[in-house]
Amino acid sequence: MNAAAFSAGSLQVGTVDVVIVGAGHSGLAMSHCLGRRGIDHVVLERGEVANAWRHERWDSLRLLTPNWLTRLPGMAYDGDDPDGYMRRDEVAAFIARYARTSGAPVRTGTTVRAVMADDAGYRVDTDRGRWRCRAVVLASGAFARPSVPRIGASLPGGVAQLTPYQYRNPGQVEAGGVLVVGASATGLQLADELQRAGHPVTLAIGEHVRMPRMYRGRDIQWWMHAAGLLDQRYDALDDLSRARGVASPQLIGSRERAIMDLNALSAGGARLVGRVANVRDGQVQFSGALRNVCALADLKMARLLATIDTWAATHIDDGSLPPAERFDATRLPEKKILGLNLKREGIRTVIWATGFRPDYSWLKLPVLDAKGNIRHNGGVADAPGLYVMGLPFLRRRKSSFIHGAEDDAQDLAGHLAGYLDALSRPGPSRACPASGTRSRSRHGALEADRAVRPRCD
Ligand SMILES: Cc1cc2nc3c(=O)[nH]c(=O)nc-3n(C[C@H](O)[C@H](O)[C@H](O)COP(=O)(O)OP(=O)(O)OC[C@H]3O[C@@H](n4cnc5c(N)ncnc54)[C@H](O)[C@@H]3O)c2cc1C
């Protein structure tokens, strides 16, 4: 079936085999792979290409993944600073160049308002008309909205509250103390920036992932990549839902390649407290489990480094490799802080670095679980012809990173091609999205792997 464009003024805009929602790197990687297979598709984007990097990231943000790792199907980083970390505007430019060079059929300024099943497959309603298609790829972002706990509503009036998407730079934050809630990559980076700008910072810490920026002379991401840890597959894990909920690592991409951890922050003056448990009468209460949480993060880091050492011993025959290193345990104050009165402490701003979540409010299909997460098996969603990209551990540990889209898009484009082929064949193998029945298997994973075709780069 070929795209048939209709008058933009009429309700129906076009018919196409596949609609991709979102022109971030995930949607564009999928577009590239479908294009290489000759599959007719369109990419609908509510803003601009790479919208999140242009409009939803703070000013100083740099990737925590090194440039040499930044690659998409058909295009790899080719600049002169492979060991550096791109600024957010450089990421946006990289993705925009990718869209241009791969000739992605992107319709910008087109917000998808509803996706629903119809006789032929799916109907996609946008603010600029309706598309009909046989398959849909959801690439609208795993980190579309900041998640803010409900207790935020109980904070005393007069305390400013910001999410990482509202925060741009320290100039926006009133003089005085700041409580940063959350100690993953975002929380640590914002706490560090605010502390350097002269704000007394209190950091509320839940479960986190600690790792050094450099290890034995190489970037930690080099080790994880080389040892295959980033390629670990979703269907090889015992506890997938836990793995999918793991926070981003405490890393910062800086020229100095500095370690960004709780020790570095507290050495700069930050006060470390447990996770926010409650707010009562202007008093924020913190969990008493901070010591345990930090001990667990230290232990997991030691395990990661031991895994790397074991791998290095068998794979690197290089006498010049520096010896194994171990890092100080997280240093915590003797006295636990279990509550703080924000006013009395001069804390004028709270930043909720408490994670992000997708937004599928426009998805009119019965594919969401009780928590609002999409039910899928390695990106093959629980409705025929529906796919998802870019979610944490979608198919591999690296799935939510830019370079993770490459393998995932290859795999899922293969599955999707097989799905469209099956639809074109007459007979009982035909799948019907509206009825929710799948022709060959409801479990996409095995099917996806059988359907994987030659690489599209
Ligand atoms: C703070 C932060 C730092 C990160 N740092 C790194 C890093 O260092 N390295 C790394 O590899 N990854 C990093 N990531 C993870 C990941 O690479 C980014 O989140 C990336 O933006 C995800 O790309 P995506 O294409 O999956 O989604 P997005 O970039 O979010 O793109 C989704 C697109 O869909 C559009 N859209 C959404 N809803 C609709 C709709 N209804 N209709 C039409 N269009 C819609 C959006 O406008 C957006 O352009 C980071 C993420 C965050 C949040």
Side-chain angles (χ1 to χ4, degrees):
M1 191 187 297
N2 285 322
F6 292 78
S7 133
S10 64
L11 185 60
Q12 178 138 340
V13 177
T15 301
V16 74
D17 276 342
V18 184
V19 166
I20 299 174
V21 184
H25 76 259
S26 297
L28 295 168
M30 186 54 123
S31 167
H32 178 91
C33 291
L34 295 182
R36 296 304 290 263
R37 289 168 180 275
I39 296 175
D40 174 39
H41 66 281
V42 67
V43 185
L44 304 180
E45 167 56 53
R46 65 181 170 192
E48 306 166 66
V49 166
N51 207 54
W53 292 103
R54 293 178 202 277
H55 301 293
E56 293 169 356
R57 307 278 189 262
W58 59 95
D59 295 347
S60 64
L61 179 67
R62 281 181 183 269
L63 289 186
L64 54 79
T65 40
N67 292 339
W68 58 264
L69 197 53
T70 301
R71 51 179 301 126
L72 288 166
M75 189 173 113
Y77 176 81
D78 57 1
D80 54 9
D81 186 18
D83 294 323
Y85 309 90
M86 279 187 216
R87 291 194 315 265
R88 71 179 181 99
D89 52 326
E90 293 171 319
V91 184
F94 178 84
I95 296 172
R97 175 153 76 99
Y98 183 62
R100 277 195 308 277
T101 54
S102 58
V106 182
R107 303 273 178 123
T108 53
T110 305
T111 301
V112 171
R113 295 248 164 94
V115 173
M116 59 193 86
D118 79 359
D119 297 345
Y122 293 99
R123 197 178 102 189
V124 179
D125 288 346
T126 80
D127 58 352
R128 303 178 94 173
R130 173 171 298 166
W131 288 84
R132 287 183 194 279
C133 57
R134 301 199 289 170
V136 173
V137 179
L138 308 173
S140 50
F143 311 102
R145 285 190 178 177
S147 319
V148 176
R150 282 208 194 96
I151 44 175
S154 317
L155 283 180
V159 174
Q161 298 188 48
L162 289 173
T163 69
Y165 285 0
Q166 293 162 328
Y167 175 84
R168 285 286 167 273
N169 55 58
Q172 197 187 351
V173 175
E174 251 188 277
V178 181
L179 170 63
V180 177
V181 186
S184 298
T186 299
L188 256 72
Q189 291 178 24
L190 300 189
D192 180 53
E193 173 161 285
L194 288 161
Q195 181 157 281
R196 284 171 195 272
H199 292 275
V201 167
T202 304
L203 181 66
I205 302 153
E207 268 190 51
H208 55 274
V209 179
R210 186 181 175 200
M211 52 179 79
R213 175 77 273 175
M214 300 294 288
Y215 185 64
R216 302 182 74 178
R218 300 179 192 202
D219 195 293
I220 190 74
Q221 294 283 336
W222 183 90
W223 287 108
M224 294 183 72
H225 172 70
L229 299 176
L230 298 173
D231 291 320
Q232 207 174 1
R233 282 182 59 103
Y234 78 107
D235 45 7
L237 292 186
D238 292 336
D239 191 347
L240 180 58
S241 73
R242 183 168 169 75
R244 284 184 169 155
V246 166
S248 57
Q250 290 178 334
L251 287 175
I252 188 166
S254 66
R255 294 211 170 280
E256 304 75 36
R257 302 199 162 78
I259 286 190
M260 169 53 57
D261 62 7
L262 299 176
N263 288 346
L265 272 179
S266 59
R271 175 165 54 181
L272 308 184
V273 296
R275 62 180 298 142
V276 170
N278 204 358
V279 180
R280 192 174 293 160
D281 305 329
Q283 172 102 357
V284 180
Q285 296 167 347
F286 304 108
S287 154
L290 178 61
R291 201 162 290 282
N292 291 348
V293 161
C294 292
L296 186 65
D298 291 351
L299 182 78
K300 287 187 176 171
M301 177 171 74
R303 261 195 231 144
L304 169 68
L305 301 182
T307 303
I308 287 173
D309 292 337
T310 306
W311 180 87
T314 49
H315 291 82
I316 300 186
D317 182 17
D318 179 356
S320 66
L321 189 66
E325 297 167 70
R326 289 298 173 259
F327 297 85
D328 288 349
T330 303
R331 288 185 291 276
L332 293 171
E334 278 304 309
K335 198 165 169 279
K336 272 186 194 171
I337 299 174
L338 294 176
L340 286 176
N341 182 298
L342 296 188
K343 237 186 197 157
R344 225 174 289 144
E345 296 291 327
I347 294 177
R348 312 284 293 271
T349 307
V350 172
I351 299 195
W352 296 105
T354 33
F356 305 93
R357 59 189 166 83
D359 174 14
Y360 297 126
S361 52
W362 37 269
L363 193 58
K364 311 296 177 200
L365 295 165
V367 293
L368 301 181
D369 67 17
K371 289 185 175 161
N373 295 317
I374 192 149
R375 286 195 307 275
H376 70 93
N377 190 341
V380 181
D382 199 10
L386 188 70
Y387 297 83
V388 61
M389 281 282 297
L391 303 184
F393 236 126
L394 184 88
R395 295 184 64 77
R396 298 169 176 84
R397 187 179 297 281
K398 64 186 177 185
S399 285
S400 60
F401 290 104
I402 294 172
H403 62 103
E406 187 173 31
D407 288 342
D408 289 1
Q410 310 265 15
D411 291 356
L412 292 175
H415 190 288
L416 204 159
Y419 174 77
L420 293 178
D421 282 353
L423 279 187
S424 314
R425 283 196 295 272
S429 69
R430 191 179 163 83
C432 173
S435 69
T437 56
R438 190 181 287 283
S439 59
R440 288 181 279 184
S441 155
R442 286 183 65 79
H443 297 285
L446 295 174
E447 200 177 18
D449 290 340
R450 279 201 297 275
V452 169
R453 306 283 167 86
R455 296 176 68 83
C456 58
D457 52 0

